[in-house]
């Protein structure tokens, strides 16, 4: 979404020479062009490349397409969980990577704000078609950092929440927090009115779609076009139509209708009227990223592979942030 924010782009464009922009996902072609150009400049200037990423694009590409130039890269800092998962898929990481995504400070301070932003955006989109969250039967798939906070906010909005997660410890936590839990997703989808995917994976496909016994609103609460298996949804759809500013409606061969809010994109990045987490609230994230980059540059990490951001850096930042907030 950042590349679609016009003021951000204009500001960067006036201050820096080398800016690549792609507003359409997937944008691997743009990342490849930027990476290639950066590596050529490193070679020509005898400098090294430092990658600060949001989504795990450049690191896997560096390893798959520019293996012979990996030594030109100092290392990388990654800020999203999805990006870390993509980096973990690289068999033999040849650079150090700092994982900001799963840092304690980010989970503690950012996840509640994300949970709130997601639920507010769901409420905004549903209100456009006259639907309210109050008393709705909601299935939440995934009770991780983001999902658990979504659950809290759904409850505040009056929703009745059932939680499904593939990990038993997550289900136990959900139960302790007084949410209903579901052990079998195919049973769990029955009679639900709203289904939210918060796993960061493909969590909903043919088997789940055919188990629906109501018309439902489906929401992706994570990244890109995650959660729904679109091939299977399209194969099961007898017809579909756009609902302007809300999403897409699919009439399934089973006779039920599924409304894909935000066309399947993360709901907090869809509506131009809404915003995700207010920028001012998450100023600590860029600070955290740059602190991690400095840590990397000072060569305090010796090994290749993924490491967490040291606790002392997080503590300093937490103290400063809390002082600033009060
Ligand atoms: N939209 C946003 O603003 C935003 C913000 C932060 C993170 N994210 C994205 O959200 C995703 C999740 O992040 P997180 O930090 O909550 O991750 P997490 O690992 O803490 O949580 C994911 C949960 O989903 C569960 N899970 C995985 N596959 C499942 C399946 N098939 N069925 C049921 N449960 C399943 C896991 O057991 C885990 O509990 C990532 O892709 C991340 O990049 C989006």
């Amino acid at each position: 979404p950042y590349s679609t924010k016009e003021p951000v782009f204009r500001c960067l464009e006036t201050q820096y020479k080398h800016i690549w922009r792609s507003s359409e996902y997937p944008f691997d072609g743009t990342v490849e062009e930027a990476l290639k150009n950066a590596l050529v400049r490193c070679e020509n200037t005898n400098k090294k490349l430092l990658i600060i990423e949001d989504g795990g694009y450049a690191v896997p590409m560096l390893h798959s397409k520019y293996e012979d130039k990996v030594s030109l890269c100092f290392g990388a800092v990654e800020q999203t969980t999805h990006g870390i998962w993509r980096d973990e898929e690289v068999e033999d990481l040849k650079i150090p990577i700092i994982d900001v995504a799963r840092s304690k400070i980010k989970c503690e301070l950012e996840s509640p704000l994300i949970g709130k932003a997601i639920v507010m955006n769901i409420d905004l989109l549903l209100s456009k078609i006259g639907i309210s969250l109050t008393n709705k039967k909601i299935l939440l798939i995934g009770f991780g950092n983001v999902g658990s906070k979504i659950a809290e906010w759904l409850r505040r909005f009056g929703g009745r929440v059932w939680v499904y997660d593939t990990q038993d410890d997550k289900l136990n936590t959900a139960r302790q927090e007084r949410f209903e839990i579901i052990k079998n997703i195919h049973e769990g989808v029955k009679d639900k009115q709203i289904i939210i995917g918060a796993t960061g994976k493909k969590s909903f496909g043919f088997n789940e779609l055919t188990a629906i016994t109501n018309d439902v609103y489906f929401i992706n609460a994570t990244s890109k076009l995650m959660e729904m298996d679109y091939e299977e949804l399209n194969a099961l759809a007898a017809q579909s139509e756009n609902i302007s500013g809300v999403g897409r409606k699919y009439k399934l061969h089973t006779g039920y209708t599924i409304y894909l809010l935000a066309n399947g994109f993360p709901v907090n990045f869809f509506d131009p009227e809404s915003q995700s987490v207010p920028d001012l609230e998450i100023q600590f994230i860029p600070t955290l990223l740059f602190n991690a980059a400095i840590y990397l540059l000072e060569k305090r990490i010796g090994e290749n592979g993924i490491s967490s951001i040291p606790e002392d850096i997080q503590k300093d930042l937490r103290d400063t942030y809390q002082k600033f907030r009060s």
Side-chain angles (χ1 to χ4, degrees):
Y2 314 107
S3 53
T4 60
K5 282 192 176 169
E6 207 52 46
V8 173
F9 182 69
R10 273 203 303 275
C11 174
L12 290 173
E13 199 184 32
T14 52
Q15 294 192 34
Y16 301 98
K17 262 201 318 207
H18 304 279
I19 303 286
W20 281 264
R21 184 194 203 190
S22 177
S23 47
E24 293 286 312
Y25 178 75
F27 34 69
D28 289 3
T30 312
V31 176
E32 187 171 352
E33 205 188 319
L35 184 60
K36 191 168 140 196
N37 198 284
L39 291 168
V40 168
R41 284 174 56 215
C42 285
E43 274 177 322
N44 293 344
T45 55
N46 207 18
K47 287 188 176 163
K48 283 203 158 194
L49 176 67
L50 173 73
I51 298 170
I52 300 181
E53 281 222 83
D54 184 303
Y57 302 98
V59 167
M61 198 175 279
L62 178 72
H63 286 77
S64 63
K65 300 212 167 171
Y66 302 102
E67 216 185 336
D68 55 325
K69 298 202 173 15
V70 172
S71 60
L72 291 171
C73 182
F74 208 96
V77 177
E78 171 58 56
Q79 89 124 327
T80 67
T81 307
H82 189 70
I84 288 293
W85 290 340
R86 285 178 60 134
D87 293 350
E88 280 171 345
E89 282 169 16
V90 177
E91 236 168 58
D92 181 18
L93 281 168
K94 295 196 165 64
I95 55 169
I97 296 169
I98 302 201
D99 175 358
V100 168
R102 293 181 294 200
S103 59
K104 209 166 142 196
I105 181 173
K106 195 164 182 271
C107 296
E108 271 172 26
L109 301 180
E110 189 198 39
S111 300
L113 299 170
I114 292 187
K116 178 180 177 185
I118 284 168
V119 175
M120 288 184 75
N121 280 284
I122 295 174
D123 186 57
L124 174 80
L125 292 186
L126 287 177
S127 69
K128 290 186 180 185
I129 41 176
I131 310 283
S132 143
L133 283 167
T134 312
N135 272 329
K136 290 291 177 304
K137 291 182 172 178
I138 305 170
L139 171 63
L140 175 70
I141 311 171
F143 197 77
N145 291 321
V146 174
S148 55
K149 301 302 168 195
I150 294 174
E152 268 177 48
W153 278 94
L154 288 170
R155 183 146 64 190
R156 290 195 203 191
F157 273 68
R160 298 168 60 196
V161 185
W162 280 258
V163 171
Y164 172 71
D165 196 295
T166 42
Q167 289 185 49
D168 284 342
D169 60 327
K170 297 294 167 69
L171 287 178
N172 289 338
T173 312
R175 193 193 279 117
Q176 280 159 16
E177 292 177 14
R178 293 177 294 104
F179 292 105
E180 301 283 344
I181 61 158
I182 274 167
K183 295 247 174 179
N184 176 336
I185 189 167
H186 305 117
E187 286 301 314
V189 297
K190 287 189 182 146
D191 78 9
K192 297 301 176 301
Q193 296 155 293
I194 296 174
I195 299 174
I196 303 172
T199 69
K201 308 268 165 59
K202 217 178 259 184
S203 59
F204 215 80
F206 179 87
N207 291 336
E208 294 75 27
L209 283 162
T210 48
I212 286 172
T213 58
N214 271 334
D215 291 350
V216 294
Y217 299 88
F218 187 91
I219 294 117
N220 168 14
T222 58
S223 12
K224 317 288 178 314
L225 283 170
M226 288 287 157
E227 307 300 335
M228 176 61 77
D229 187 322
Y230 291 95
E231 265 180 40
E232 294 182 352
L233 173 62
N234 284 318
L236 266 173
Q239 60 188 71
S240 74
E241 69 179 271
N242 194 38
I243 308 176
S244 178
V246 177
R248 201 159 181 87
K249 173 180 173 183
Y250 295 79
K251 183 89 190 159
L252 302 183
H253 285 297
T254 55
Y256 298 107
T257 298
I258 179 160
Y259 296 82
L260 197 60
L261 260 56
N263 297 332
F265 283 98
V267 73
N268 54 326
F269 294 125
F270 176 68
D271 196 307
E273 286 169 31
S274 69
Q275 61 170 335
S276 185
V277 178
D279 294 338
L280 204 62
E281 298 271 325
I282 45 166
Q283 284 306 307
F284 74 93
I285 301 267
T287 314
L288 189 60
L289 284 171
F290 288 114
N291 270 290
I294 291 165
Y295 176 76
L296 196 62
L297 286 171
E298 287 174 346
K299 284 199 178 169
R300 285 198 270 159
I301 280 202
E303 283 176 16
N304 293 338
I306 301 173
S307 317
S308 50
I309 183 159
E311 184 50 42
D312 58 332
I313 296 182
Q314 298 190 50
K315 187 183 174 312
D316 279 357
L317 194 57
R318 191 182 291 107
D319 292 349
T320 312
Y321 178 72
Q322 270 153 6
K323 213 183 287 167
F324 164 76
R325 298 266 307 160
S326 61

